[in-house]
Amino acid sequence: KALAGGLSINGRKHPVEFIVRDSQSNANRAASAAQELLLREEVDLITATATPETTNPVADQAELNAKPCLTNDTPWQPHFFGRKGDPKKGFEWTYHFFWGLEDVISVYSGIWDQAADKTSKVVGALWPNDPDGNAWGDPKIGFPPVLNKKGYKIVDPGRFQVGSDDYSAHISQFRKAGVDIVTGVVPPPDFTTFWLQAAQQGFKPKMVTVGKALEFPQVIKSLGAKGDGLSVEVWWSPHHPYKSGFNGMSSKELADAYQKATGRPWTMPLAFKHSLFEVAIDALKRTRDIDKPESIRDALKTTDYQSIVGPINFRKGPVPNIAKTPLVGGQWTVGKREWPVLDIVENGDHPDIARTGRVRLIG
């Protein structure tokens, strides 16, 4: 609605058109969709979101075709280093904002540290054979070196193939090693299979903190009582103190508006989709010559913007073309309301995001 009358760019009103393509969470499909948008539709700015399978091939196509690109919702290391990025040079056309592996490691260990005296500090790893799993389990930039320094022992049975239907080998190794904590970055169907099989085989960890699968209330609700106490990183929530620089909407107002309009609960990606377009519009507003791709690129490069997911500034790093967003930790409570409730229980890196609950052991 706010763009219905066009967008003012350098003193002139320009109509704004959104052309949407579905990557189907497939890297090849994402690349071909990006080519279609860049070459056939001749878009001025291409955006992409959600996991390396989508953001990386789209950004690569934009770089190859010298067109500005904005992405989010992929940890910055799998996005930047997964595209062979050089921290000394960066990229010319592509910009990305999200948190990094150092943030999620800090959040997860921050959750576990709060109950360290009640666990064995032995962590079982569920890392799939995909860009996220390989990055999270990387012996240099992933979880292993940091957790080892913090006194946690990792039990890593090796990468599994997404879509596996038998996790007995993982569960057996975890039980033998005395695993009390399970972590990973697992698609919802895979985690559901693992968690149900764990219950059937009598494996009862005290803490389970897993990315992807445990980010969504729908998944937690489907698990019933077995979803209670599961924990996860929190990229955004109605409790976050940030507002949109585009329309002034607060985090709580966005969540409430979405729930009223759809009848569905808020989810973390909601605000990142909102912020993706916020930042894109901000860059277009500051573009000096909308007909020159390099002018849009230069506007993206100098972004210093307050979004609904926090401040976005590509000049601050940690590497070129990247802006980091805040990350905290949450834990689910099931049964008290229609939908599971996600409380903020770890905010050591971002105390401005208030805690709404305390860490508790599963069961």
Side-chain angles (χ1 to χ4, degrees):
K1 291 179 180 178
L3 295 171
L7 184 65
S8 181
I9 301 173
N10 202 18
R12 289 181 55 198
K13 283 278 189 178
H14 293 265
V16 180
E17 180 183 5
F18 295 94
I19 305 173
V20 181
R21 295 290 182 268
D22 183 4
S23 74
Q24 301 172 5
S25 297
N26 178 282
N28 292 329
R29 171 59 189 155
S32 62
Q35 288 176 340
E36 179 184 338
L37 290 168
L38 292 166
L39 302 177
R40 186 186 306 171
E41 300 288 352
E42 297 183 335
V43 296
D44 296 294
L45 172 64
I46 189 167
T47 64
T49 185
T51 78
E53 287 82 357
T54 296
T55 65
N56 291 16
V58 171
D60 285 343
Q61 288 300 318
E63 200 73 30
L64 284 170
N65 289 281
K67 287 289 185 73
C69 174
L70 180 68
T71 53
N72 71 12
D73 195 350
T74 297
W76 72 261
Q77 288 96 335
H79 182 79
F80 187 85
F81 293 117
R83 299 175 53 223
K84 312 300 181 187
D86 182 347
K88 294 181 180 179
K89 297 189 300 183
F91 297 99
E92 184 176 354
W93 294 93
T94 54
Y95 293 85
H96 182 83
F97 62 99
F98 208 51
W99 43 265
L101 295 182
E102 70 279 17
D103 304 303
V104 75
I105 295 168
S106 177
V107 164
Y108 281 19
S109 59
I111 293 173
W112 307 334
D113 286 348
Q114 294 181 47
D117 59 334
K118 300 175 183 177
T119 72
S120 62
K121 297 190 75 172
V122 180
V123 181
L126 285 174
W127 290 320
N129 186 23
D130 65 12
D132 275 331
N134 291 327
W136 288 42
D138 189 278
K140 293 183 179 179
I141 67 169
F143 274 70
V146 181
L147 292 190
N148 288 334
K149 287 182 181 178
K150 287 177 171 282
Y152 290 91
K153 177 185 175 182
I154 297 179
V155 178
D156 182 2
R159 306 295 166 266
F160 66 88
Q161 293 302 316
V162 172
S164 296
D165 57 7
D166 186 0
Y167 291 90
S168 297
H170 284 73
I171 294 167
S172 176
Q173 285 195 45
F174 292 168
R175 291 182 66 180
K176 288 179 181 178
V179 165
D180 267 348
I181 303 168
V182 173
T183 193
V185 54
V186 186
D190 295 81
F191 178 80
T192 299
T193 301
F194 164 81
W195 197 223
L196 294 179
Q197 290 178 358
Q200 292 166 0
Q201 297 174 34
F203 174 53
K204 299 179 180 179
K206 296 178 180 178
M207 307 187 83
V208 176
T209 313
V210 171
K212 283 189 178 177
L214 304 187
E215 293 161 2
F216 300 97
Q218 293 88 344
V219 176
I220 303 300
K221 186 175 183 178
S222 73
L223 294 172
K226 291 183 175 65
D228 191 54
L230 300 177
S231 49
V232 69
E233 80 279 359
V234 181
W235 336 332
W236 173 84
S237 78
H239 307 296
H240 280 52
Y242 310 121
K243 293 184 177 182
S244 165
F246 176 68
N247 58 13
M249 181 177 279
S250 71
S251 292
K252 186 178 187 307
E253 287 170 341
L254 176 61
D256 289 347
Y258 177 80
Q259 290 176 165
K260 183 178 179 181
T262 66
R264 297 191 294 268
W266 66 269
T267 62
M268 297 180 214
L270 171 64
F272 274 85
K273 311 315 172 206
H274 194 284
S275 64
L276 187 68
F277 293 109
E278 285 185 63
V279 177
I281 292 165
D282 173 70
L284 291 174
K285 282 181 177 178
R286 293 181 290 103
T287 298
R288 294 187 176 183
D289 188 342
I290 195 65
D291 295 319
K292 292 183 178 180
E294 58 269 26
S295 186
I296 302 174
R297 174 205 62 195
D298 293 345
L300 274 176
K301 184 177 183 178
T302 56
T303 294
D304 185 5
Y305 177 80
Q306 297 295 321
S307 81
I308 202 161
V309 299
I312 309 296
N313 188 321
F314 294 116
R315 289 172 292 185
K316 290 186 176 181
V319 294
N321 309 81
I322 299 293
K324 290 220 305 180
T325 54
L327 193 68
V328 293
Q331 189 168 35
W332 291 99
T333 298
V334 175
K336 293 185 177 181
R337 300 182 186 177
E338 178 187 1
W339 286 97
V341 174
L342 183 60
D343 278 310
I344 307 297
V345 296
E346 164 56 29
N347 65 348
D349 295 335
H350 296 280
D352 58 316
I353 302 171
R355 292 202 304 179
T356 62
R358 293 184 177 275
V359 172
R360 53 195 171 87
L361 300 180
I362 294 174

